[in-house]
Structure formats: structure tokens, C-alpha cells
Amino acid sequence: MAFEVDNQTKRDLDIFAVNQDSKSIFGLFNFTTCKGGENKLYHFLSEPLTDLDAIRGRSEAIAFFQQHGFTDLDIDMDTLSFAEYYQKHREYSLRRPTKLWRPLNNQLLNKLRSSENYFVVEKGVKSIIKILQRLYKFCHLLDEKSSGTLPSLFQKRNKRILEILEIQEMKVLLDMIDIRPFDVAEYNYIFRYAQQRNLQYMFDLIYEYDAYLSVAKAASEYGFCYPEVLPKTENRLKAEGIFHPFVENAINNDIQFDTNSNLLFVTGPNMAGKSTFLKALGVSVYLAHAGFPVPAKNFSMSLVSGLCTTINISDNLQSGYSHFYAEVLRVKHVAERLKVNSNMMVIFDELFRGTNVKDAYDGTLAIVSAFARIKSSFFVISTHIVEAAEELKVNSNINFRCFDIREENGHPVYTYKLKDGISTDRLGMYIIRKEGVVEMINEVLLNNNTE
């Protein structure tokens, strides 16, 4: 079963950049050294996992690289690029020589050596040999560093690589220093035909390892932790020191869910940090299911089979939908998905901001009360309709948290820290007064009257 996540959620969490200048989670992790590695990284982030063994296996592999100081595969990127070019462009080729006519073949090959065709084949063959030699050494280096505790994913990959390199026609390459024209033609045939699938496996492995090394470097660079992902039956989430990786000097927060407290109701004034916190939590859940490290000091959660967020929803002018109607349709979509998949993390930021206060109050109360009855999923809902919180207190599984605001010298100070309870702070008019909006409008009127 695939992890359920839609494009709205990926946009909300900035998993991929929407334009060249925007930040993205993908960009944060992208320290890859080759295009194939970059494509692998993109694939890993595009499709989070629901298989617990696969998640743990990937996470262990990435952590192993970080813990043992691996930074790259020590494969020259120009060599790799040319090997890829050679494999892709099969129009550059040589006829396979025969032993019977070997002297004649050597004469013909010597004549061809000045041609572009021969140059590409010779350099391509030599490039692949260098890569095989380096990959062989890297497999043994992994074993040496592991001290007998090599992650299971590497054990499987190493076993397969060594099996391929035990094939006689491949084994002789491991100590080869120079290659003769006759052998160039021979190995052109071997690489293009006899060992094509095995070579493709090795190239894919290089890309996979490049992606893992990239993620490991990001984990070190940003101080991410490796999450503990538990079976679904645990039905809990605990995050210590969670933060958003895009925020410089970010303030971290702690949060916890379980079956008896699976809905988090977040209140707080404008600019207090609600949206940033919701995004940080969503990103962490997403990354944990991709087998990646997460922005937190400690993070553990039971497996969920999907993630759905509503943070940056907009009007749909083409369909004629208002903002409020778009919100209603999004809630309906979540309800439909929960009918099929009742084990999800659902995040809503500012429910029903697109309508009047009365409808927003009634809608928030109705939707949150309904979600609270679904104990098999996790829900996080922020709102500016704090009046609904009093009515919702009858639900024992709702955890009420708010963002703390302090007052210093008559001015509010944002701490960006979550605390227990419900916020009654209202800073809308304070912000309007601080920015001098009313005075500016009055100046416009004054100027118009004096003209």
C-alpha cells in the first residue's frame, strides 16, 4: 500500500520548489554529486513509504554513512558522466573480435583508433572499469567500517555487487591497469550486451548511495535526528525539540499524541507561530515515512498510511469557488479519504477563515467534534475561533495548546513556544495600530481635502 499524500500537502509543506527561487525540503537535502543521485533523491521524497522494514532499512543506511564519516563514493564525476554517456549512446560501438582472426582484428582496430567512434568506446570502457574497481573497494570499506554490524540494506547490496564481480569476465577487471585495443572491443560487447543488466544495477546503486550520502550530509549540517518509526498498533507520536528547518535560529517545541489524546487544538494570535509549527510537524511526519532524518532533537511515531494538510489553500477562480467553498471541499476530501484510510495524520491551519465569525464558529465546532471521534488517526487543527474551544472541552481526547505571548513595556513579545491551554490574546488591532494603517488612510483623506 502506497503512502497517501496529495499535491496540496506537498505544496503546503514545500517538499519541492514551486519556482527557481523558492525554498524546498528537496533543496535542503540536495547535496548530490551526480544527476542520477539527484533523481534518486527526488524519487525518495516523492514517494514516502508505509513498509516499516523499508523505512528502517533506509534510515539505518543513511545514519551509517553519517556516523562513520562517509562523504562520497570517491568516484570521479567526469568518469561517471562519460560512462553514462557511453552506455546511453549505443551508436558508438565496435564489432566483437574473434580469437581466430585476432591479428587481423588488431590491425583493423589500430586503424580505427583515430576515429571518434573508437575514442568514445575506449574511454567508455575504461571509465566503467575504473568505476567497477572503485565500487569493489567501497563495498569492502563498508565491511571494514561496520565491525560486523553492517546495516541490512548494505549487506544485500554488497552481496549482489560481489556476486557480479565474481563473474570471471568481470573479476579480471579489478586489477587491470591498462587495456589493449583487442580488449576494448571485447569489453565493449560484454558491457553492452552480456553484462548490461548487472552494469545497470551498479549504476543504480551508485545513484542510491549518492542520495543517501546527500541526506546524511544534510542531517549533519542542520542537526536533524533519526526518527524511531513504530508499528501501527502503537498509535502514538512524540516529538522533542521539533523546529522548522527554514527558520533561522528556530524555536523548538515538544508535542505528544496517543490514542487517548489524538487531536491537538492550537490557538494563538496572528504571527505567534501556529502555521510554522504545523508545517514543522507535517514535514517531520513526511520525512519520517521517507526514511529520512527529521528536524527535531528526538522524534518517534507509529506508522501512518497517509498525510493530509490544509495550510495554504486558495480560491479556485477557474471553478468559480470562493475561499470558503474551497475549504469546505477540502474538509470533504479529507472525510472521503478517512472512509478509505482511517490511519492518517490530518493538519488544518485556521479552519474556515474564509467566512463570517458565526459560520466559522459553528463549522469549527461541528468538524472538530466529528474528527475527535476518529481515534485511529492524528489531527492537528489551529483556529482563530477560540470561543469554540470551551464547547470542545467535553472531548477528553482533545489536547488544547496555545502559543505563549509575554508583555514587555506595554508591547507583546512572541516567544513561539507552545504551552498548555487556550489563548485569549487578540493582537489584530495592536498590529493595525503599530503599522499606522488608520493614520495613513486619514492622511490620504487630509491630502484630498487640501487639494
Side-chain angles (χ1 to χ4, degrees), residues 387-401:
E387 292 81 3
E390 292 300 325
E391 296 291 333
L392 291 169
K393 283 183 178 180
V394 297
N395 297 280
S396 61
N397 62 318
I398 296 180
N399 182 12
F400 295 94
R401 304 291 296 278

Side-chain angles (χ1 to χ4, degrees), residues 2-18:
F3 186 87
E4 185 169 341
V5 59
D6 60 11
N7 289 331
Q8 172 72 46
T9 299
K10 290 179 181 179
R11 287 194 299 270
D12 282 344
L13 302 180
D14 300 307
I15 302 301
F16 302 106
V18 294

